[in-house]
Amino acid sequence: FADCFLESPCFMNNSKLFSKKNVQNAWAFFLDLIFPVECLGCGEEGHWVCVDCFHGIKLNNFQRCFHCKKNHDFGKFCISCKEEYYLAGIWIACDYDDELVNSLIKKFKYNFIKDLDYFLSKILFIFLSGLRNKERIINSNLKVFKNFEDLLIIPVPLHPKRLRFRGFNQSEEIALKLANYLDFKIDSEQLVRIKHNKPQAKLNESKRFENIKNCFAWRGDNLRGRNILLVDDVVTTGATLNEAARVLKENGAGQVWGLAVAKG
């Protein structure tokens, strides 16, 4: 809204009265009235999440094969399950049933509180750092960890129509901060969504896989075996991540791993 107003004739004809800084300050004040800044966990004023509540978020110490749910140290698909997927595995940082995590995701995604990307990306950073340390301890042969310097982070894209409505891609905002924390390269432009279909959240599992088919395209050069970390806020059936991974694999990607804040 603020950006649209700044480009309007009203602003252009009264640029001294409606300076960009004044409009942005007024918009921030307006948002504070609707969504006062208070901890989503305990209600403490001045923070979206206070230190104590953030440290109280429980991360998943154990990962599972996403398909059969058998325990696996790194969430890799079992030999008998991997034929169903283009992904090497899916990492899930925490539980969607956690009230604070649930609130963070929903307020970020549906109430458009963009500042919450800081906390969601921090959750992924701490979780992923724990996985890397675990790999060092047990000396796993997972290539994605041994070749981390060559890892490319890619957020799951939104269709342009949905992007215009929301104003930002929640997965991209999380991924951008995560890439900065880890000092990894990120590509948020060349994997694109080319079909505007029904929201996955409104469909059952079988229809989600059908609904997402052929929704993505890769606009970049051949990936030449590069490992990819696909980032999304929530994973439910894995259909969206898997379809994006299919497109990336068809364009030369090496291992493609999914990473989500929580499982819905």
Side-chain angles (χ1 to χ4, degrees):
F1 172 83
D3 289 339
C4 292
F5 180 79
L6 290 171
E7 297 173 0
S8 69
C10 176
F11 170 74
M12 297 302 292
N13 294 332
N14 299 276
S15 57
K16 291 184 179 180
L17 176 63
F18 297 113
S19 69
K20 184 174 182 179
K21 184 176 181 180
N22 287 342
V23 171
Q24 289 175 336
N25 289 340
W27 180 242
F29 176 75
F30 177 68
L31 287 178
D32 284 342
L33 290 177
I34 301 176
F35 306 114
V37 178
E38 57 184 29
C39 177
L40 298 174
C42 67
E44 179 183 325
E45 293 185 1
H47 314 275
W48 287 118
V49 182
C50 71
V51 173
D52 289 342
C53 287
F54 185 80
H55 287 314
I57 295 173
K58 294 182 180 179
L59 301 182
N60 289 328
N61 292 322
F62 301 98
Q63 296 296 300
R64 298 177 179 178
C65 168
F66 190 83
H67 187 72
C68 72
K69 314 306 179 190
K70 289 181 181 178
N71 287 339
H72 189 288
D73 284 328
F74 293 100
K76 193 174 184 179
F77 284 109
C78 300
I79 294 174
S80 58
C81 298
K82 66 180 182 180
E83 293 182 2
E84 304 287 330
Y85 294 86
Y86 294 91
L87 294 154
I90 299 176
W91 294 323
I92 301 167
C94 47
D95 194 340
Y96 198 62
D97 291 335
D98 183 304
E99 290 185 7
L100 179 54
V101 172
N102 186 298
S103 184
L104 275 169
I105 292 172
K106 287 182 176 179
K107 295 289 186 183
F108 181 47
K109 195 169 183 175
Y110 302 117
N111 292 84
F112 315 123
I113 304 176
K114 195 174 177 182
D115 290 346
L116 299 183
D117 62 351
Y118 169 80
F119 301 101
L120 294 170
S121 59
K122 272 291 185 182
I123 288 172
L124 291 184
F125 170 66
I126 295 169
F127 167 76
L128 203 58
S129 298
L131 273 182
R132 294 177 71 182
N133 291 333
K134 190 174 184 180
E135 188 272 342
R136 293 188 187 104
I137 293 171
I138 68 175
N139 195 26
S140 170
N141 290 319
L142 289 180
K143 293 180 180 178
V144 70
F145 285 105
K146 290 185 178 295
N147 297 317
F148 243 53
E149 68 280 357
D150 194 42
L151 189 70
L152 179 65
I153 293 179
I154 297 179
V156 173
L158 288 179
H159 188 274
K161 284 185 178 180
R162 193 158 296 158
L163 181 61
R164 285 194 294 271
F165 168 75
R166 186 170 293 161
F168 63 93
N169 176 0
Q170 74 281 358
S171 299
E172 181 180 358
E173 297 302 321
I174 295 170
L176 284 166
K177 279 189 166 51
L178 179 64
N180 185 55
Y181 296 148
L182 295 168
D183 195 25
F184 289 166
K185 292 183 179 178
I186 182 170
D187 189 318
S188 59
E189 297 181 356
Q190 298 185 100
L191 180 66
V192 297
R193 194 154 185 161
I194 56 176
K195 281 175 60 178
H196 186 250
N197 50 7
K198 294 179 180 179
Q200 292 286 87
K202 296 182 178 180
L203 304 173
N204 62 31
E205 182 171 352
S206 61
K207 289 184 178 179
R208 286 185 185 218
F209 279 89
E210 186 63 32
N211 185 57
I212 202 68
K213 278 185 178 179
N214 302 314
C215 277
F216 301 109
W218 177 251
R219 302 301 194 200
D221 296 331
N222 189 283
L223 288 161
R224 300 183 182 279
R226 193 164 195 180
N227 294 330
I228 307 294
L229 187 62
L230 266 176
V231 175
D232 209 351
D233 56 344
V234 177
V235 58
T236 304
T237 63
T240 300
L241 288 173
N242 194 56
E243 180 62 15
R246 180 187 68 79
V247 172
L248 294 170
K249 295 285 283 186
E250 288 179 352
N251 285 275
Q255 289 190 357
V256 182
W257 289 81
L259 175 65
V261 177
K263 186 180 186 305

